[in-house]
């Protein structure tokens, strides 16, 4: 239950930060991607199922307001959440390097997916341009925030786990 | 421990379920072409909160503005003063022209070319969350008389078009969006052209113009307005000004780039014209019929 509230809170918070605050904090016209951070972090910490579900709900929120096709972002983020779940087996929460690398890779994959399905299909061929001017800058900005956000998510998660174990002893 | 006992669904099944659900949604929205009910429900749920939050964002914007240095402001003040002088002289000469125009029009008993459209002011409450598209959401919807395909302007320049309407908010696609395409014309020669948004060009603040006829005389600085043949855009709204022209590789038409009139980076309020082009055409056809 506690965990469910945590997930709902984090998805909604990410959504409002993304659409309400960070659109005003764009650096060089680029905004970071908080959904990828949340989805990938939860995928890594909690595994495939939860990453997948959290990604789905993040995507649905974004789809509801801005998608060309409703369901597209949900699909991309759900798959990303699932894939990051594979990392759970080889990963310590305290180590920062691996999560940051994974979040970076996830954001690049996200960018490539958006390019493939909604730009290439309309005949925009210049992939190096989109990679250099949109995907990579977005990833860098995202990673800067990921350092803080990942810590926050991981810390909250540990608090929930400790609370959970206390309950079990009772 | 008991959690594990209770349910142990394989992640793979969850993934397939979600993929199936998403594909279903995508299929539905592709086939219906409009907003799905579920989409509508989610947006009515979150947008009121969004409105409040956006004011936080705007406050951040203001703080950024405040931090500009005094010398910059002084400089800008100086140049603005000059501009005021120039514009004042322009206004007085225009007023002369206008009175002349009025008298000539009276002579010709001509209808005014561009009637004064009714407009509704709206506030932008959310911008597209990613880096790929340029849509935004305004705080007026069908309750305020907004309909799909209404034109949105700001500062006398075309901003975009309403693509989705909910009860209290609607989505606007900006002309700088990569999927946007507007039928335009050169205001001087009424040569037709097509103005496309392009994410790549917009990095330099430009829009793409194609299909200008080979023989048209185009120079930098020419004004591009919406054309009279468009079925969604009202005629005569300023889109932007030509910055450079080139021959198309096929040698059959000319291409150009334009600087949009509206600076999209810091708009917070827009005006929605509540006159639909389709209605305008219908009304005109009617009056013509009556006359004949």
């Amino acid at each position: 239950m506690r965990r469910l509230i945590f997930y709902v809170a984090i998805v909604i918070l990410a959504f409002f930060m993304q659409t309400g605050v960070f659109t005003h904090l764009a650096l060089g016209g680029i905004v970071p991607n908080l959904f990828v951070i949340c989805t990938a972090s939860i995928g890594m910490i909690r595994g495939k199922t939860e990453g997948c579900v959290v990604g789905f709900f993040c995507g649905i929120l974004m789809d509801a307001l801005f998608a060309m096709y409703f369901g597209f972002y949900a699909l991309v983020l759900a798959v990303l959440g699932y894939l990051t779940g594979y990392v759970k087996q080889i990963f310590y929460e305290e180590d920062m390097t691996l999560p940051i690398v994974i979040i970076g890779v996830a954001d690049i994959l996200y960018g490539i997916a958006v390019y493939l399905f909604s730009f290439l299909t309309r005949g925009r061929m210049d992939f190096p341009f989109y990679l250099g001017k949109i995907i990579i800058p977005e990833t860098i900005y995202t990673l800067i925030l990921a350092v803080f956000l990942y810590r926050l998510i991981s810390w909250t998660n540990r608090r929930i786990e400790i609370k959970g174990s206390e309950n079990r002893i009772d | 421990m008991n959690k594990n006992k209770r349910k142990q669904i394989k992640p793979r099944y969850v993934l397939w379920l979600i993929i199936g659900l998403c594909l279903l949604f995508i299929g539905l929205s592709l086939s219906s072409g409009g907003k799905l009910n579920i989409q509508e429900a989610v947006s009515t749920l979150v947008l009121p909160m969004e409105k409040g939050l956006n004011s936080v964002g705007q406050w951040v914007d203001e703080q950024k503005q405040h931090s500009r240095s005094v010398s910059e402001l002084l400089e800008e003040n100086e140049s603005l003063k000059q501009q005021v002088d120039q514009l004042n002289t322009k206004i007085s000469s225009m007023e002369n022209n206008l009175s002349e125009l009025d008298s000539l029009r009276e002579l010709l008993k001509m209808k005014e070319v561009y009637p004064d459209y009714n407009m509704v002011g709206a506030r932008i409450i959310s911008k597209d969350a990613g880096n790929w598209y340029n849509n935004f959401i305004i705080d007026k919807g069908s309750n305020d008389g907004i309909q799909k395909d209404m034109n949105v302007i700001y500062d006398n320049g075309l901003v975009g078009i309403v693509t989705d309407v909910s009860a209290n908010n609607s989505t606007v696609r900006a002309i700088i969006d990569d999927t946007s395409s507007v039928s335009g014309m050169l205001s001087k020669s009424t040569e037709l052209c097509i103005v496309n948004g392009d994410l790549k060009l917009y990095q330099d603040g430009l829009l793409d113009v194609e299909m200008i006829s080979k023989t048209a005389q185009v120079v930098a600085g020419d004004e591009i307005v919406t054309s009279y043949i468009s079925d969604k855009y009202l005629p005569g709204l300023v889109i932007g000004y030509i910055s450079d022209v080139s021959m198309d590789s096929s040698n059959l038409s000319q291409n150009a780039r334009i600087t949009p009139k509206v600076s999209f980076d810091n708009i917070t309020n827009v005006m929605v014209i509540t006159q639909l082009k389709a209605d305008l055409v219908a009304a005109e056809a009617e009056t013509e019929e009556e006359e004949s």
Side-chain angles (χ1 to χ4, degrees):
Chain A
M1 191 60 205
R2 206 184 286 275
R3 186 163 292 282
L4 185 69
I5 293 169
F6 169 51
Y7 287 155
V8 171
I10 211 160
V11 169
I12 289 181
L13 195 70
F15 175 75
F16 287 125
M17 294 293 279
Q18 181 84 46
T19 53
V21 178
F22 277 101
T23 46
H24 299 277
L25 285 176
L27 291 181
I30 294 290
V31 293
N33 195 328
L34 302 183
F35 292 133
V36 168
I37 303 180
C38 294
T39 308
S41 305
I42 289 168
M44 280 183 285
I45 299 171
R46 298 289 306 172
K48 292 172 198 163
T49 313
E50 286 169 39
C52 193
V53 172
V54 168
F56 174 73
F57 282 105
C58 282
I60 284 292
L61 277 183
M62 199 145 134
D63 279 324
L65 298 188
F66 297 111
M68 288 179 74
Y69 320 118
F70 184 70
F72 173 72
Y73 290 118
L75 182 61
V76 173
L77 285 170
V79 172
L80 278 181
Y82 185 82
L83 292 178
T84 50
Y86 278 103
V87 181
K88 196 191 172 205
Q89 292 143 10
I90 50 159
F91 148 93
Y92 299 99
E93 260 184 70
E94 288 73 24
D95 173 35
M96 277 303 283
T97 331
L98 185 63
I100 293 300
V101 172
I102 296 296
I103 290 173
V105 172
D107 198 26
I108 289 174
L109 287 179
Y110 173 91
I112 291 174
V114 175
Y115 168 76
L116 281 182
F117 291 107
S118 65
F119 272 65
L120 190 63
T121 47
R122 287 185 292 111
R124 306 282 198 216
M125 300 302 244
D126 191 1
F127 179 66
F129 164 82
Y130 294 107
L131 185 70
K133 282 286 155 71
I134 307 275
I135 298 176
I136 300 289
E138 179 190 302
T139 306
I140 293 169
Y141 197 173
T142 304
L143 284 183
I144 295 170
L145 287 172
V147 175
F148 302 103
L149 267 180
Y150 173 77
R151 285 236 166 104
L152 184 71
I153 292 172
S154 151
W155 179 81
T156 318
N157 175 61
R158 235 173 304 151
R159 289 300 295 261
I160 292 171
E161 262 165 20
I162 292 166
K163 282 266 165 61
S165 63
E166 275 170 1
N167 287 345
R168 247 172 260 156
I169 293 164
D170 292 340
Chain B
M1 268 301 157
N2 56 15
K3 202 179 176 188
N4 287 352
K5 247 185 258 166
R6 201 172 56 212
K7 50 177 177 180
Q8 188 63 278
I9 316 165
K10 281 209 173 123
R12 217 178 317 139
Y13 299 144
V14 177
L15 180 71
W16 288 124
L17 181 74
I18 283 179
I19 287 180
L21 208 58
C22 290
L23 290 179
L24 180 73
F25 284 153
I26 294 174
L28 279 177
S29 73
L30 273 181
S31 60
S32 76
K35 238 180 184 176
L36 299 178
N37 284 339
I38 176 169
Q39 215 168 340
E40 177 104 33
V42 176
S43 61
T44 32
L45 212 70
V46 294
L47 275 170
M49 291 187 263
E50 183 80 349
K51 239 188 212 175
L53 221 108
N54 199 55
S55 45
V56 177
Q58 272 166 11
W59 179 80
V60 172
D61 267 359
E62 262 171 42
Q63 297 309 306
K64 265 200 279 185
Q65 295 271 328
H66 280 306
S67 62
R68 286 166 67 192
S69 71
V70 179
S71 63
E72 257 180 333
L73 289 175
L74 281 175
E75 225 167 79
E76 196 182 326
N77 192 16
E78 199 62 34
S79 72
L80 284 177
K81 268 183 193 156
Q82 272 179 14
Q83 214 177 339
V84 167
D85 283 345
Q86 283 172 3
L87 290 177
N88 273 335
T89 43
K90 218 175 184 178
I91 285 176
S92 54
S93 76
M94 287 292 183
E95 264 165 2
N96 284 336
N97 290 345
L98 203 65
S99 59
E100 206 179 314
L101 182 70
D102 277 345
S103 53
L104 286 174
R105 262 202 194 133
E106 229 166 86
L107 284 177
L108 284 169
K109 289 208 172 131
M110 209 169 67
K111 275 187 284 182
E112 265 193 83
V113 189
Y114 302 127
D116 291 328
Y117 301 123
N118 283 328
M119 288 186 241
V120 175
R123 201 154 65 92
I124 295 178
I125 52 173
S126 177
K127 285 185 183 170
D128 201 329
N131 295 313
W132 297 88
Y133 294 104
N134 281 293
N135 303 314
F136 52 86
I137 294 176
I138 55 174
D139 65 348
K140 294 279 162 67
S142 53
N143 287 349
D144 310 281
I146 308 286
Q147 287 174 44
K148 199 180 169 209
D149 289 343
M150 279 180 176
N151 296 176
V152 179
I153 60 169
Y154 172 72
D155 194 15
N156 290 325
L158 182 65
V159 170
I161 192 162
V162 176
T163 52
D164 268 316
V165 184
S166 300
N168 288 313
N169 59 72
S170 26
T171 311
V172 176
R173 187 182 61 216
I175 52 169
I176 56 172
D177 186 80
D178 205 77
T179 56
S180 158
S181 176
V182 184
S183 161
M185 66 181 182
L186 292 159
S187 63
K188 247 191 243 164
S189 57
T190 68
E191 289 280 357
L192 296 170
C193 58
I194 294 170
V195 181
N196 296 314
D198 189 323
L199 182 64
K200 191 173 159 188
L201 277 179
Y202 193 67
Q203 298 278 324
D204 306 318
L206 298 171
L207 302 178
D208 175 55
V209 183
E210 55 177 16
M211 308 291 277
I212 309 174
S213 110
K214 202 163 83 172
T215 51
Q217 291 212 331
V218 192
V219 288
D222 278 3
E223 188 182 59
I224 300 250
V225 298
T226 45
S227 79
Y228 49 86
I229 59 160
S230 166
D231 42 339
K232 286 182 181 171
Y233 291 95
L234 298 161
L237 306 173
V238 180
I239 304 175
Y241 303 95
I242 301 254
S243 73
D244 61 274
V245 193
S246 62
M247 206 55 158
D248 189 60
S249 53
S250 65
N251 247 351
L252 293 171
S253 62
Q254 297 182 83
N255 290 342
R257 290 152 178 215
I258 62 171
T259 319
K261 163 138 190 174
V262 181
S263 91
F264 282 87
D265 288 337
N266 35 26
I267 44 175
T268 50
N269 291 292
V270 291
M271 304 293 278
V272 183
I273 303 179
T274 53
Q275 171 77 55
L276 280 172
K277 175 71 189 269
D279 294 347
L280 194 68
V281 173
E284 257 168 32
E286 232 169 65
T287 48
E288 260 166 44
E289 250 171 47
E290 276 169 23
E291 274 164 24
S292 64

